[in-house]
Amino acid sequence: GQSLEQPSEVTAVEGAIVQINCTYQTSGFYGLSWYQQHDGGAPTFLSYNALDGLEETGRFSSFLSRSDSYGYLLLQELQMKDSASYFCAVRDPGGFKTIFGAGTRLFVKA
Amino acid sequence: DSGVTQTPKHLITATGQRVTLRCSPRSGDLSVYWYQQSLDQGLQFLIQYYNGEERAKGNILERFSAQQFPDLHSELNLSSLELGDSALYFCASSVDNTGELFFGEGSRLTVL
């Protein structure tokens, strides 16, 4: 089976950089994804890493180390609107299930 | 707008009742996933369909069932409802074998 661990809460200041870590245990691996969810809203896709290394998309970057079963989401130049929950997720080897972590609630302070 | 449509947006019902939640995936997406999100909780995978066939099951209760129809829309049936079934139910769709799921806005179920 799969399990993912991420911190429950992170607080940071507007304009700062924050890193949200995710460690996973899987029977196989097919990529690590990150999703953002604002209160009352739907999760929206942020990034996907299938291979080791850093993927950059604007202010957001995601990193994966398959040997360490570890990844992180890096948010730069934080804005108040980045206050949300962030979920890491893995797909099973068959690609049929996407399992989500419990989520990290990010609070951005002025 | 993700292109995934879920109805109803809100539903209030009583314990013991049965409800049906409906999902229309994005045009061209063959895979449909159902997730349950209880208050301040993560997304619990329930079930996945691909082109009408069940492909994967999570910890879905026996009181819950789902299907995907030939037009690719999907329905999640919840029966003998209990207070603990109150949650947001999300449907997502994907082009298979990619890392991205597109989520609908969810159906908020309240069981009284």
Side-chain angles (χ1 to χ4, degrees):
Chain A
Q2 291 93 1
S3 68
L4 301 100
E5 286 192 17
Q6 50 182 133
S8 58
E9 281 187 15
V10 173
T11 300
V13 177
E14 196 174 15
I17 299 172
V18 72
Q19 179 173 312
I20 299 174
N21 298 320
C22 174
T23 57
Y24 59 87
Q25 290 186 322
T26 61
S27 54
F29 184 74
Y30 201 68
L32 184 71
S33 301
W34 289 93
Y35 289 78
Q36 178 192 60
Q37 185 183 28
H38 287 98
D39 284 347
T44 55
F45 174 82
L46 292 176
S47 68
Y48 174 64
N49 294 68
L51 302 174
D52 290 356
L54 192 68
E55 295 281 341
E56 298 181 70
T57 309
R59 295 187 297 115
F60 294 179
S61 304
S62 58
F63 172 81
L64 175 66
S65 169
R66 288 176 297 169
S67 59
D68 296 322
S69 297
Y70 163 76
Y72 65 72
L73 179 70
L74 192 73
L75 297 85
Q76 303 182 72
E77 300 173 18
L78 280 174
Q79 301 175 10
M80 298 298 287
K81 68 178 182 179
D82 297 328
S83 293
S85 293
Y86 293 84
F87 295 89
C88 58
V90 292
R91 304 193 79 197
D92 72 0
F96 302 138
K97 282 188 210 182
T98 296
I99 304 300
F100 286 77
T104 299
R105 194 166 180 86
L106 172 63
F107 297 95
V108 180
K109 303 188 301 183
Chain B
D1 182 4
S2 68
V4 178
T5 304
Q6 288 188 247
T7 57
K9 291 190 180 347
H10 301 276
L11 190 56
I12 301 174
T13 188
T15 54
Q17 295 299 303
R18 172 189 170 95
V19 298
T20 297
L21 309 180
R22 181 188 169 101
C23 169
S24 294
R26 290 189 325 154
S27 177
D29 285 357
L30 301 180
S31 286
V32 169
Y33 307 73
W34 285 98
Y35 288 87
Q36 179 193 56
Q37 187 175 40
S38 301
L39 191 63
D40 293 332
Q41 298 294 308
L43 293 151
Q44 299 300 315
F45 172 74
L46 295 178
I47 198 163
Q48 188 227 353
Y49 284 85
Y50 176 80
N51 202 22
E53 292 188 7
E54 181 186 304
R55 279 289 180 90
K57 255 186 176 179
N59 295 325
I60 186 168
L61 299 172
E62 287 190 9
R63 300 184 286 108
F64 295 2
S65 65
Q67 55 183 326
Q68 186 179 28
F69 295 87
D71 67 354
L72 301 178
H73 92 271
S74 178
E75 293 181 357
L76 179 67
N77 301 295
L78 315 174
S79 62
S80 303
L81 285 168
E82 302 176 359
L83 296 178
D85 298 327
S86 295
L88 256 176
Y89 291 84
F90 285 105
C91 169
S93 72
S94 73
V95 173
D96 213 18
N97 297 324
T98 70
E100 183 170 2
L101 299 183
F102 295 88
F103 282 83
E105 292 299 313
S107 293
R108 183 174 293 281
L109 173 66
T110 302
V111 182
L112 300 176

